[in-house]
Amino acid sequence: MNNLNAGAADDYQSGTLSREDCIYTSCYCEENVWKLCEHIMIQKQFHLEEVYAVFISNDRKMVPIWKQKSNSGDEPVLWDYHVILLHVPSRGQNVIYDLDTVLPFPCPFDTYAKDALRSDDFIKSIYRRKLRVIPADVYLKTFASDRSHMKDSRGEWRMPPPSYPCIETPESKMNINSFISMDPKVGWGEVNTLTEFVKRFGMT
């Protein structure tokens, strides 16, 4: 088997990203991951085609995720949605970057799946997770948010927004709901059940 990327390998740095490389704003996971994709593209830390933004949600917008910084102990945080970054290298194991986890950063995929996502077999059906897997280059080109979903009925911020300008595209200033939606007929990327996602990217 030939390595089609061999000729360009010298242009890319090896290794992983640290938390210090990341721009982070609490409760703006979709933008944190967008900024992380942007950093990878600019710094050429590794090939962008190996990277995916992953939205986790469901029709009820109630998804439990364990090992989150906002909750101590072994109880999950119930998010309306959460966004993580998946790196699928050409060699070595797949890893997850979750800026809100207490697990290692990055975290081996199978460890994250076992400890943070766990299984849908033992939770109520209304909490079962789906995952929208979007190639990083597509995410960078298409995602837009005016952050209006983070304001209450009085127009006040539920959580302080990032200091940098809103992310937008020539086509849109706000399309986050197309990413949060787990309807495969809308938005970008591929929608998986949790079982499909783990089978697709896990080693075990």
Side-chain angles (χ1 to χ4, degrees):
M1 183 178 291
N2 294 317
N3 180 359
L4 300 180
N5 293 326
D10 291 343
D11 293 337
Y12 289 82
Q13 302 175 32
S14 61
T16 58
L17 299 166
S18 68
R19 288 186 185 272
E20 290 69 35
D21 293 319
C22 305
I23 294 173
Y24 177 77
T25 308
S26 179
C27 294
Y28 290 82
C29 53
E30 66 280 359
E31 296 199 32
N32 295 334
V33 169
W34 193 96
K35 284 292 185 181
L36 189 49
C37 291
E38 181 184 54
H39 175 86
I40 292 167
M41 178 183 68
I42 293 170
Q43 299 298 323
K44 296 186 177 181
Q45 190 80 24
F46 27 76
H47 293 278
L48 195 62
E49 60 264 29
E50 299 175 349
V51 180
Y52 300 85
V54 181
F55 277 70
I56 308 167
S57 192
N58 58 27
D59 292 342
R60 299 258 186 146
K61 294 185 180 179
M62 295 189 297
V63 288
I65 300 180
W66 284 261
K67 301 297 181 181
Q68 297 284 281
K69 292 189 294 185
S70 55
N71 196 17
S72 58
D74 198 42
E75 293 299 314
V77 173
L78 195 63
W79 296 111
D80 51 352
Y81 67 94
H82 189 47
V83 189
I84 57 178
L85 184 140
L86 168 65
H87 181 206
V88 182
S90 56
R91 286 179 286 185
Q93 64 181 325
N94 300 338
V95 295
I96 295 289
Y97 291 85
D98 180 356
L99 284 156
D100 293 291
T101 190
V102 297
L103 294 172
F105 187 91
C107 187
F109 181 93
D110 289 343
T111 299
Y112 190 88
K114 178 174 71 73
D115 293 343
L117 299 177
R118 303 197 179 183
S119 173
D120 275 348
D121 293 341
F122 308 107
I123 61 176
K124 294 180 179 179
S125 59
I126 60 171
Y127 298 126
R128 289 177 182 161
R129 281 73 49 90
K130 290 186 178 180
L131 303 97
R132 181 180 291 274
V133 183
I134 309 128
D137 62 330
V138 174
Y139 190 51
L140 287 170
K141 293 174 184 176
T142 58
F143 175 78
S145 174
D146 62 9
R147 302 173 184 156
S148 56
H149 66 298
M150 293 299 292
K151 291 184 177 181
D152 62 22
S153 59
R154 297 172 298 171
E156 301 292 331
W157 292 110
R158 293 189 175 98
M159 292 294 290
S163 58
Y164 53 83
C166 293
I167 298 167
E168 58 183 56
T169 72
E171 291 76 28
S172 179
K173 293 183 182 296
M174 180 62 168
N175 60 17
I176 189 172
N177 287 332
S178 295
F179 291 89
I180 297 171
S181 170
M182 291 298 138
D183 182 349
K185 297 178 182 178
V186 304
W188 296 265
E190 182 178 339
V191 176
N192 293 160
T193 64
L194 179 58
T195 300
E196 290 168 342
F197 180 71
V198 173
K199 184 177 181 180
R200 180 179 174 186
F201 296 108
M203 294 179 64
T204 57

